[in-house]
Amino acid sequence: MRKKPIYFLLFMLVIAMALSGCSGKSTTKSSNAPASNKTSESGGTLKIAAQAQPDTLDPTVTTAEATAQPARLVFESLVTLDKNYKVAPQLAESYKTSNDGKTVTFKLRKGVKFHNGKEMKADDVIASMQKWEKNASLTKSTMDGAKWEKKDDYTVELVLKKPSSVAMTILADQTQLAAVMPKEIAESAGPTGAKEYVGTGPFKFSGWKKDQYLHFTKFKAYQPVNKPASGVAGKKAAKVKDIYWYFAPDASTRSAGLISGQYDIALSVPYDAVKQIESTPGKKIQPYTYGMEILVFNKKQGLFKNVKARQAVNDALDKKVVLQSAFTDKRFYKLEPGLFRPEQKVLYSDAGKEVYNSKNLDRAKQLLQASGYKGETIKILTSRDYPHHYNAAIATQQQLEKIGMKVKLDVYDWATLLEHRDNPGDYDIFFTGWDTGIVPHQYGFLDSRGNWPGWTNDPKIDQLLDQISSAKTQDETKALIRELQQEFWQYLPVINLGTYKNVNACSDKVKGFKWFIGPVLWNVSIES
């Protein structure tokens, strides 16, 4: 355990962040369901329906939740987050920060085995962290120039170029997990990720039937942390023998499969299916606050390199209409200009509210003309795998046509969309969701020094993120967050349409299922 909090900011963020768990999306489809469940503390089969098929199970190379959610069954990190969003040791037994704030020393847990039987040691950690730093969008500003050094087989040091009050939070982040894998696998991985999925988690990867399911099995040699489960920290127990993670892109398939008993858990059921699920004996819903629905601009090439074009879109959109189209019921969305939630006292600001939902069509037309728009087709990437993104895209298309834009929807499955969003020549806009962060650095769409799709390039935002990293008081942090959000609504790297809730559903036979920045599937059992 470290002797004291790294800096005041991280301490205040943690205190301010006692929120209920939230996050994520997935995808699934049914086919060849495995044998029926049987009652056992460590047996049976858990069947999950999710929205999208991932393009990789390596969580270090993408921020896509279709990867992050199933991958954390397999992979673990040095540190993680407890239910209060406080950094907690995981593969590290303890960690300590030096007085100057530049060196963090991790003592590794002994006897932790990878799924291939090899013991995890310092060389594996260093190779994995170097791989993660190379790929993760969050590390470009907070850990630029950082070094990982081996002191012995069970001691590793992180040496930062400058103190950072958010480095440990980012190392514990679940968005692009700092996953530890065997050295030889980390070093042989290509730009699209590892070729083998071998981690230290409670479940091991056992198979991938393309377009149908992922299969995970209980890792019998798993070494749990000897502390109570909390968030994604503490004790993890594989209480089922098998997990089948089905790809069911069609939302009605997920809800119908849950109702019929084909699935035990359905992630992100359609909003119009909620009443039917609630009225079905033995089934229940689990709504949770997710985060922001965002419209992402391609700022590397094309029309939206020009800030006036981005501002024209913001003025043209009636956010309430877009959110109604996406989420159907006012219980599941909220008009909100903030990048954080009102409960996050240190981080919340309503700066920019005057332009957030201005609905000023005349100004939008003027800005569009000033941007140099010549009638070219604006391409919006979207996917029916996530109906709320798809419906938001349709509503946006209709509203942009009112100011004279020619707009075309390019509709793909989610995995293909993820490929296209990495290519600036393929689109102008895409839609996605973003779980509420606990530091602004977790928003990949803010930082110019990362390489997150959309390609933000705003030196002022970069400077503010650096200042927030080194802030020492609550008042200083709050003032900087307000300034950051004001700049956000002027520069518009993305448009925050508002906050929303997702709805999961499960059978009453499922015991212990929770949500914390994604589905928590360890410590979960299934009854016959």
Side-chain angles (χ1 to χ4, degrees):
M1 298 284 287
R2 59 180 176 174
K3 292 180 178 177
K4 57 184 178 180
I6 301 176
Y7 288 97
F8 182 85
L9 170 63
L10 185 55
F11 173 77
M12 292 308 300
L13 292 181
V14 169
I15 294 300
M17 283 302 304
L19 301 175
S20 59
C22 57
S23 164
K25 302 167 192 157
S26 298
T27 341
T28 353
K29 176 174 179 184
S30 62
S31 172
N32 301 327
S36 61
N37 299 318
K38 58 182 179 180
T39 304
S40 173
E41 180 68 9
S42 59
T45 299
L46 188 65
K47 296 171 289 184
I48 300 160
Q51 304 102 293
Q53 178 170 216
D55 53 0
T56 178
L57 272 185
D58 183 344
T60 70
V61 297
T62 179
T63 60
E65 290 171 337
T67 292
Q69 291 179 0
R72 69 183 187 177
L73 293 169
V74 174
F75 295 104
E76 296 179 305
S77 48
L78 285 171
V79 292
T80 190
L81 298 171
D82 70 13
K83 65 181 181 181
N84 294 318
Y85 292 78
K86 183 178 179 180
V87 176
Q90 189 170 73
L91 293 176
E93 182 177 86
S94 64
Y95 64 93
K96 183 191 301 183
T97 303
S98 62
N99 291 334
D100 65 4
K102 293 183 180 180
T103 302
V104 185
T105 302
F106 299 90
K107 291 291 186 181
L108 305 181
R109 293 166 53 206
K110 296 181 180 180
V112 173
K113 296 292 183 68
F114 287 112
H115 299 150
N116 61 6
K118 173 185 174 182
E119 185 182 5
M120 180 201 71
K121 293 185 179 180
D123 289 336
D124 304 300
V125 171
I126 290 173
S128 298
M129 294 305 94
Q130 290 172 341
K131 174 182 181 297
W132 169 70
E133 283 185 358
K134 181 179 179 181
N135 293 306
S137 56
L138 288 178
T139 63
K140 300 300 185 291
S141 59
T142 58
M143 293 188 179
D144 183 40
K147 295 180 180 180
W148 291 87
E149 299 178 354
K150 173 183 175 180
K151 295 304 173 183
D152 59 48
D153 279 348
Y154 300 101
T155 308
V156 171
E157 284 187 353
L158 168 61
V159 182
L160 301 166
K161 286 183 67 175
K162 57 184 179 181
S164 171
S165 60
V166 298
M168 291 302 296
T169 303
I170 289 170
L171 196 60
D173 179 46
Q174 301 292 298
T175 305
Q176 198 163 1
L177 190 70
V180 175
M181 57 189 70
K183 178 178 184 288
E184 58 275 14
I185 292 178
E187 291 182 341
S188 65
T192 58
K195 298 178 179 65
E196 298 178 72
Y197 305 130
V198 178
T200 60
F203 292 90
K204 60 183 180 180
F205 173 72
S206 291
W208 186 335
K209 193 162 186 180
K210 291 294 183 180
D211 301 320
Q212 294 191 34
Y213 59 75
L214 296 165
H215 179 206
F216 306 95
T217 56
K218 177 180 179 176
F219 179 41
K220 295 180 180 179
Y222 179 68
Q223 297 292 322
V225 173
N226 190 25
K227 289 188 177 180
S230 176
V232 284
K235 185 176 181 179
K236 299 178 183 178
K239 292 189 174 183
V240 295
K241 182 180 178 182
D242 295 278
I243 292 178
Y244 282 84
W245 185 284
Y246 287 99
F247 312 131
D250 182 71
S252 61
T253 298
R254 295 196 298 278
S255 57
L258 176 81
I259 290 170
S260 70
Q262 183 178 8
Y263 305 125
D264 303 306
I265 298 172
L267 303 180
S268 291
V269 296
Y271 299 99
D272 57 10
V274 166
K275 290 183 180 179
Q276 183 182 8
I277 294 170
E278 288 180 309
S279 64
T280 301
K283 313 298 178 185
K284 58 187 176 184
I285 66 165
Q286 292 188 350
Y288 63 94
T289 301
Y290 175 68
M292 297 175 284
E293 177 73 7
I294 60 175
L295 178 159
V296 183
F297 294 108
N298 173 3
K299 300 172 290 299
K300 181 172 281 190
Q301 67 182 64
L303 177 66
F304 295 114
K305 286 182 66 177
N306 191 313
V307 68
K308 288 185 172 62
R310 303 196 297 270
Q311 291 171 343
V313 172
N314 186 59
D315 277 334
L317 294 182
D318 184 331
K319 310 296 192 301
K320 184 176 181 179
V321 170
V322 177
L323 291 172
Q324 283 177 330
S325 299
F327 304 106
T328 72
D329 190 314
K330 63 183 180 180
R331 292 183 298 165
F332 302 126
Y333 69 85
K334 180 182 179 183
L335 289 166
E336 174 56 72
L339 295 173
F340 298 93
R341 300 183 201 165
E343 303 97 307
Q344 297 169 275
K345 303 299 183 182
V346 176
L347 299 174
Y348 178 74
S349 173
D350 63 0
K353 63 181 179 181
E354 66 280 0
V355 298
Y356 162 63
N357 198 27
S358 58
K359 297 179 289 186
N360 191 328
L361 294 184
D362 289 338
R363 186 169 62 193
K365 292 175 182 178
Q366 293 170 6
L367 285 165
L368 185 61
Q369 183 178 12
S371 73
Y373 179 64
K374 303 299 183 184
E376 59 268 33
T377 298
I378 301 303
K379 292 183 287 186
I380 299 180
L381 291 181
T382 189
S383 173
R384 288 189 176 90
D385 290 2
Y386 295 101
H388 53 291
H389 296 334
Y390 178 73
N391 292 333
I394 291 176
T396 296
Q397 178 188 34
Q398 293 170 347
Q399 294 188 28
L400 293 185
E401 287 174 345
K402 291 180 180 179
I403 64 169
M405 279 190 174
K406 184 179 179 181
V407 183
K408 174 178 179 287
L409 299 187
D410 286 347
V411 184
Y412 300 99
D413 63 86
W414 190 249
T416 303
L417 184 148
L418 294 178
E419 295 175 5
H420 282 291
R421 77 177 192 179
D422 287 332
N423 186 346
D426 286 358
Y427 69 97
D428 298 290
I429 287 170
F430 74 89
F431 286 82
T432 192
W434 206 291
D435 189 12
T436 305
I438 59 175
V439 290
H441 308 72
Q442 289 176 293
Y443 295 136
F445 53 78
L446 289 179
D447 198 336
S448 304
R449 292 157 293 195
N451 195 36
W452 195 76
W455 303 283
T456 293
N457 184 17
D458 186 349
K460 185 173 181 179
I461 288 180
D462 295 338
Q463 180 184 24
L464 286 166
L465 289 174
D466 289 343
Q467 291 173 331
I468 291 167
S469 291
S470 57
K472 293 180 175 61
T473 69
Q474 181 176 349
D475 289 343
E476 182 183 359
T477 299
K478 198 168 182 65
L480 288 167
I481 290 290
R482 182 170 186 83
E483 191 176 349
L484 172 69
Q485 193 164 297
Q486 202 76 50
E487 176 63 13
F488 168 87
W489 282 108
Q490 291 301 310
Y491 176 79
L492 288 170
V494 304
I495 293 177
N496 169 21
L497 296 164
T499 59
Y500 69 96
K501 290 184 177 182
N502 273 342
V503 182
N504 295 328
C506 66
S507 165
D508 286 344
K509 296 177 183 178
V510 176
K511 306 299 181 183
F513 173 55
K514 296 180 180 179
W515 187 272
F516 186 85
I517 321 177
V520 180
L521 298 173
W522 48 86
N523 305 330
V524 174
S525 59
I526 180 80
E527 297 178 351
S528 60

